Amino acid sequence: MKIAASLRKKMRFRPSPPQVMLFGFVVIIMVGAQLLSRPFAYTGDQQISFLDALFTSASAACVTGLTILNTGTHFSTFGQVVVIILVQIGGLGFMTMATLFALLFKKKISFRERLVLQESMNYGSTEGIVKMVRKVLLYALSIELSGAVLLSGYFMIEMPVGQALYFGVFHSISFFNNAGFDLFGQFPERAASLIHYVEDPFVNIVSMLLIFFGGIGFIVISELLTYPKHKKFSLHSKVVLSVTGVLTFVGAVVILLLEFSNPLTLQPLSGGGKVLGSLFQSVTARSAGLSTLDPSLLREVTQFFLIILMFIGAGPGSTGGGIRVTTFAILVGAMIAMIRGKEDIVLFRYRIAKQQIHQAIMLTMISFAIICSAAMVLSITETGSFLAILFEATSAYCTVGMSSGLSSHLSEAGKVIIILLMFVGRLGPVTLAFALNSRSKKELYRFPEGKITIG
């Protein structure tokens, strides 16, 4: 009896934190797909196939924003609410939302649940993780509420009060979570997304602030709010804020120069409109996927530049994707150190550990390989230029949601590939690898060191 009990105990499946994240996202996406495929989720007789519903659910839960159906016209109010709930769960993390309900019902958070929270939030340790979750929820809801109030008040100028409130709440949640979903397709006289507001300073500034706060990560938001008291930032926050600022400025300047004379994008706009249009694309390209300029009308060199920005992405522990600005900073630091003949990578007078350097290189190479492989397969299943296909694949994997127009014409095989890209990109290739192979054996020996010629 004791032997049988021991065997049952060993055979009992206890998922690791990465596996909990993997299964959790799969369940959320499947539930969302089931709801969105029901007749009451779409308008009129515009029936939606399960694959299209699955695509939309995955895009929302992975806070990507790529769409094959117009959210404002194809989905009913119920369907739109399902989409924005998926966005909120996907942006904050399903474990964060589960912890919210546990705290509301005064349920104790177990150590195992703290480990999952640590994994899902990319937090340094389990110490203080529940306190951090409270802060995350408070910051997120406060910022979304502020955005909703500002946008609703502004939308009341051009639409009924009830619709303005609905639009304000929906778009504030979507923008903060860097999801890229919008409802402006309800208006036949307008293009989708924010093209109608390309020269509107208020909508541009509010939207960019929501995207910015959602893209820097909750740890950085916390330090920004406590800076007046403590008067200092951690190395993490310094790197995220500085690299984000540099990429935003450089991106805006490059886009302005490349598109200044393009009659289909910036040329017809006023001087202020050109600046706002360039700045907005620079901000949104790294995570949000919204557009005040049609990406398909941009010059090819600009589209390729946006691919680079999408690949870099947002901050760790944020609602954005990509390889992350901290990874990019380490890679640039490594290049500078090698050029100068230095052994250590130093950022803000701190030496970066070799393990983190290896992680940055590994993540970059894996992400590059996944995007290139997916683009090659899509070039077989889809029709279109390779640049447009690469643009779509990068946008999906980096959970940006900016589209070159390919998504609405995807074949069934193409839709499946994009769904997988969004899922892997949101979960993270490293987390996915640990989830599929959680058992790691410690090596009992090391091979002798060898040297090869490089360059």
Side-chain angles (χ1 to χ4, degrees), residues 73-395:
T73 57
H74 280 83
F75 291 103
S76 64
T77 302
F78 174 84
Q80 293 167 6
V81 170
V82 170
V83 167
I84 206 62
I85 290 174
L86 289 171
V87 166
Q88 186 73 290
I89 295 173
L92 297 182
F94 71 93
M95 277 304 300
T96 304
M97 299 300 293
T99 305
L100 169 62
F101 289 103
L103 293 173
L104 289 175
F105 290 102
K106 298 181 179 180
K107 180 182 176 294
K108 187 177 179 181
I109 310 299
S110 67
F111 179 71
R112 188 170 187 80
E113 290 168 339
R114 292 170 192 263
L115 286 173
V116 179
L117 281 170
Q118 178 192 352
E119 183 74 27
S120 64
M121 295 180 65
N122 200 17
Y123 198 61
S125 66
T126 56
E127 186 178 352
I129 188 67
V130 177
K131 185 178 180 181
M132 187 62 193
V133 168
R134 289 195 184 99
K135 287 184 178 181
V136 166
L137 293 168
L138 176 62
Y139 298 155
L141 296 177
S142 298
I143 294 171
E144 288 175 350
L145 179 61
S146 301
V149 170
L150 292 171
L151 291 175
S152 296
Y154 192 80
F155 290 151
M156 286 180 189
I157 300 173
E158 56 184 37
M159 59 183 73
V161 175
Q163 189 180 30
L165 291 172
Y166 178 58
F167 268 50
V169 172
F170 185 98
H171 291 100
S172 180
I173 295 173
S174 177
F175 296 173
F176 175 75
N177 287 287
N178 286 223
F181 283 91
D182 71 89
L183 301 176
F184 293 109
Q186 291 183 6
F187 301 96
E189 73 276 8
R190 300 182 186 176
S193 200
L194 299 177
I195 295 176
H196 177 72
Y197 298 101
V198 62
E199 296 190 85
D200 191 313
F202 185 86
V203 174
N204 272 265
I205 292 171
V206 172
S207 301
M208 284 189 289
L209 284 174
L210 286 169
I211 294 168
F212 169 77
F213 283 115
I216 59 177
F218 296 106
I219 296 174
V220 182
I221 294 175
S222 177
E223 292 192 15
L224 279 173
L225 294 176
T226 58
Y227 180 77
K229 180 181 179 181
H230 298 111
K231 299 294 181 183
K232 67 176 183 179
F233 286 123
S234 65
L235 174 62
H236 171 81
S237 294
K238 288 179 181 178
V239 171
V240 170
L241 291 173
S242 59
V243 176
T244 298
V246 170
L247 287 174
T248 300
F249 175 76
V250 172
V253 172
V254 172
I255 293 170
L256 179 63
L257 293 175
L258 294 176
E259 294 296 317
F260 190 85
S261 59
N262 188 345
L264 300 176
T265 55
L266 290 184
Q267 190 187 52
L269 305 179
S270 63
K274 288 182 174 69
V275 173
L276 281 175
S278 303
L279 184 61
F280 192 90
Q281 307 322 304
S282 178
V283 171
T284 189
R286 288 188 302 103
S287 54
L290 298 160
S291 302
T292 55
L293 301 174
D294 189 340
S296 64
L297 301 179
L298 296 171
R299 290 184 168 126
E300 288 190 347
V301 62
T302 311
Q303 292 179 353
F304 185 75
F305 180 70
L306 292 180
I307 289 174
I308 296 173
L309 291 179
M310 289 191 290
F311 186 73
I312 295 171
S318 71
T319 57
I323 62 171
R324 312 296 185 176
V325 292
T326 47
T327 302
F328 177 70
I330 291 175
L331 294 176
V332 173
M335 181 180 67
I336 294 173
M338 287 293 294
I339 292 173
R340 291 182 175 179
K342 304 289 185 181
E343 185 177 349
D344 296 326
I345 299 174
V346 178
L347 300 175
F348 294 98
R349 297 186 178 182
Y350 284 93
R351 176 172 52 86
I352 305 301
K354 291 191 181 297
Q355 183 183 0
Q356 289 191 310
I357 300 171
H358 295 158
Q359 288 175 345
I361 295 171
M362 177 189 66
L363 176 61
T364 303
M365 293 305 297
I366 291 175
S367 299
F368 181 77
I370 290 173
I371 291 172
C372 289
S373 301
M376 291 172 66
V377 176
L378 285 170
S379 66
I380 299 172
T381 62
E382 312 305 314
T383 56
S385 68
F386 186 75
L387 182 63
I389 290 171
L390 181 63
F391 191 99
E392 215 78 5
T394 307
S395 180

Side-chain angles (χ1 to χ4, degrees), residues 15-34:
S16 63
Q19 288 172 337
V20 172
M21 289 181 61
L22 173 66
F23 299 144
F25 265 109
V26 169
V27 169
I28 290 168
I29 291 170
M30 294 306 296
V31 170
Q34 287 289 344

